[in-house]
Amino acid sequence: MPGTVIVGAQWGDEGKGKIVDLLARDSDLVCRYNGGPNAGHTIVVDGETYKTRHMPSGILWGKECVIGAGCVVDPGVFIEELEEFESRGISTELVRLSGNAHVIMPWHLAIDGAGERRLGDLQIGTTRRGIGPTYADKAYRLGIRLQDLFEPKILRQKIEVALAEKNLWLERVYGEAPIELEELASRYEGYAQRLRPYFADTSLIVDRAIVDGKRVLMEGAHGTLLDIDHGTYPFVTSSSTLAGGACPGLGIGPTRIDQVIGVAKAYVTRVGAGPFPTEIEGPDQDRVRELGGEFGTVTGRERRCGWLDLVALRYAVRLNGITSIALTKLDVLSAFAELPVCTRYELRDGTTTDEFPAHQSDFHAARPVYEVLDGWGDGSLGGDDLPPAARRYVEFVEHELGVEVSWVGTGAERERVLVR
Ligand code: GDP
Ligand code: IMO
Ligand code: MG
């Protein structure tokens, strides 16, 4: 099965980094196909914690790592990331950057922050890393791509054209200071020197690898419900987070994908604003947050916590064509005697459904209908087998979704996973 996509099946932070790291050992190439430094993927090895922002989670195994055209790159953050890995003895020599990936520029950061401030109570709660404005400029064809950095004349001209418009917005609409051309152009020319060795034809690399029968992992960032087209718009990110996004995001065709692994927590979290039917009311929300360490990797914000939502997960199975599931953080639920699991939504008209509502207002008003499963008591998920009640929880998920749960996460460390 050479082409495997690993995709977040909820609202992000499902533990994708850990699962990608686990599977990367036996892979040849690991690729990121969407998003930028709004992602934060955590991998824990031998008591050391590594956090990736742009970098594919295969980096720790020294695998060839691709950052595809569908990504957006903040060169300053990316260079910091390179330096961080190198200083910890991890080679970045096999990292490959697509020249078609768009560059996050300082005005994107300024506009992301100012736009959110202006929205006030209506804000999305973005990571303020300039993601939305960068993808907007890409679609508007005003973007600067990584390959532009390597041509100083083109770079300067593109910055000039962009600044003519962006400074108007910054000054007149958002009341912010304008950005100065010279300092910016020379800073980005400096970045170009550092990035040049990583620049490669990544579409060709990925396609060749698959054709040659190598094992390629494609690592989605964020999650299904944050997808720009099918997520809980407008409370979404600005890229295609779904498994299918791996094709345009890397420059390969759909026939190159053999399997899709959906990563889901055994409960649900969400950072930022937006509807969340199974969000827990009362002290159990804080308990899940504390036990699960549910604070944002990128922003440190508290993650909102909820019980497992199988209606939303069923939607994720559909949108991604998920062929198997990695269910992470089951250990966090060990503290609870009873575990509500949402199997249906009750809609405004009193009817119930097990399918994700197609209309936003139905979703906003949806009330979860729970089945309550038994907890497994003392919390010992350390062994080779799951205790009976934990196995029943996992089998319940499989039965409801019609998809196998092939991995169960029982702790943050690399080896804390049961392969079923
Ligand atoms: P990602 O963005 O999907 O890669 O997920 P994050 O890294 O942002 O958040 C997941 C968090 O859960 C990280 O702190 C992981 O170290 C941790 N984690 C992953 N799997 C497990 C697990 O099975 N159990 C526990 N307790 N923690 C886990
Ligand atoms: P990983 O890859 C969780 C959320 C933000 C916000 C919305 C839009 O670590 O799972 P953006 O900055 O992208 O414009 O913010 O999307 N968001 C994430 N939430 N995990 C992520 O990434 C996220 N990336 C974006 O919190 O609600
Ligand atoms: Mg994360």
Side-chain angles (χ1 to χ4, degrees):
M1 287 293 203
T4 300
V5 181
I6 298 183
V7 67
Q10 295 159 328
W11 274 287
D13 302 326
E14 297 90 348
K16 299 175 290 294
K18 178 182 158 174
I19 299 297
V20 173
D21 169 72
L22 183 77
L23 300 180
R25 188 185 55 187
D26 298 321
S27 301
D28 300 296
L29 187 62
V30 184
C31 317
R32 271 278 301 271
Y33 60 84
N34 72 306
N38 48 342
H41 302 171
T42 317
I43 306 165
V44 185
V45 187
D46 298 334
E48 292 266 323
T49 299
Y50 300 89
K51 292 179 191 283
T52 63
R53 307 285 301 281
H54 294 95
M55 206 63 83
S57 300
I59 189 78
L60 297 185
W61 293 106
K63 301 293 171 160
E64 189 170 20
C65 283
V66 159
I67 296 171
C71 297
V72 290
V73 177
D74 184 324
V77 176
F78 180 68
I79 290 166
E80 270 176 28
E81 221 179 323
L82 287 173
E83 282 165 6
E84 158 91 11
F85 280 110
E86 280 166 8
S87 73
R88 295 175 79 176
I90 291 152
S91 169
T92 60
E93 206 182 317
L94 296 179
V95 174
R96 318 279 181 235
L97 270 181
S98 167
N100 287 2
H102 278 248
V103 182
I104 300 172
M105 300 296 292
W107 54 81
H108 295 130
L109 296 166
I111 290 170
D112 195 1
E116 285 278 273
R117 279 194 294 280
R118 224 165 101 95
L119 280 171
D121 287 347
L122 296 177
Q123 66 175 247
I124 291 162
T126 74
T127 59
R128 303 197 179 195
R129 296 303 187 273
I131 306 299
T134 307
Y135 278 110
D137 278 351
K138 167 179 170 174
Y140 197 48
R141 289 147 301 175
L142 196 65
I144 294 178
R145 298 190 294 173
L146 279 174
Q147 57 185 293
D148 296 324
L149 298 188
F150 309 126
E151 297 189 77
K153 253 170 101 176
I154 293 181
L155 176 65
R156 187 166 284 257
Q157 190 186 33
K158 288 204 167 187
I159 292 180
E160 214 172 339
V161 169
L163 277 183
E165 183 181 321
K166 299 303 175 188
N167 275 340
L168 281 180
W169 276 91
L170 284 175
E171 288 185 282
R172 303 225 185 133
V173 180
Y174 295 123
E176 302 266 324
I179 292 169
E180 206 260 317
L181 170 70
E182 287 310 320
E183 188 276 326
L184 195 64
S186 62
R187 176 149 51 104
Y188 276 70
E189 283 163 29
Y191 290 152
Q193 303 302 320
R194 181 73 170 95
L195 296 183
R196 187 177 271 285
Y198 298 100
F199 174 57
D201 185 347
T202 51
S203 156
L204 189 62
I205 291 172
V206 179
D207 192 66
R208 283 241 169 106
I210 294 177
V211 170
D212 291 346
K214 292 189 176 155
R215 288 153 303 180
V216 177
L217 286 184
M218 305 170 223
E219 173 182 7
H222 329 306
T224 297
L225 295 163
L226 292 171
D227 179 71
I228 182 75
D229 294 301
H230 300 280
T232 49
Y233 192 89
F235 304 102
V236 295
T237 189
S238 301
S239 65
S240 294
T241 63
L242 304 182
C247 295
L250 292 171
I252 56 166
T255 50
R256 300 290 190 237
I257 294 175
D258 299 290
Q259 56 174 349
V260 178
I261 299 169
V263 185
K265 275 179 188 158
Y267 48 99
V268 188
T269 61
R270 169 161 215 181
V271 206
F276 185 180
T278 64
E279 186 164 17
I280 301 169
E281 284 165 19
D284 280 350
Q285 156 122 221
D286 297 332
R287 242 176 121 198
V288 172
R289 182 178 306 114
E290 289 304 323
L291 291 166
E294 298 297 355
F295 300 90
T297 311
V298 177
T299 58
R301 286 179 292 176
E302 283 189 350
R303 294 175 181 155
R304 299 156 66 194
C305 300
W307 301 119
L308 186 61
D309 183 343
L310 292 175
V311 180
L313 211 44
R314 192 173 289 116
Y315 183 53
V317 169
R318 166 167 32 122
L319 292 176
N320 296 293
I322 290 174
T323 52
S324 55
I325 290 176
L327 195 69
T328 62
K329 305 190 90 159
L330 193 66
D331 52 301
V332 174
L333 296 184
S334 297
F336 296 88
E338 292 191 327
L339 299 166
V341 175
C342 169
T343 54
R344 306 178 71 78
Y345 292 157
E346 186 184 325
L347 302 177
R348 287 175 293 178
D349 61 5
T351 61
T352 69
T353 177
D354 61 5
E355 291 296 346
F356 197 84
H359 197 285
Q360 60 190 4
S361 300
D362 286 328
F363 182 62
H364 280 247
R367 290 154 54 97
V369 179
Y370 289 113
E371 281 201 33
V372 180
L373 306 189
D374 290 335
W376 40 91
D378 69 357
S380 61
L381 285 189
D384 291 339
D385 281 323
L386 291 174
R391 200 169 60 240
R392 278 196 297 277
Y393 190 88
V394 174
E395 285 168 356
F396 186 79
V397 173
E398 289 180 316
H399 179 257
E400 286 284 317
L401 301 178
V403 180
E404 255 179 42
V405 173
S406 306
W407 299 268
V408 176
T410 58
E413 287 272 341
R414 181 183 260 169
E415 61 276 10
R416 296 295 302 273
V417 68
L418 291 175
V419 183
R420 297 179 74 236

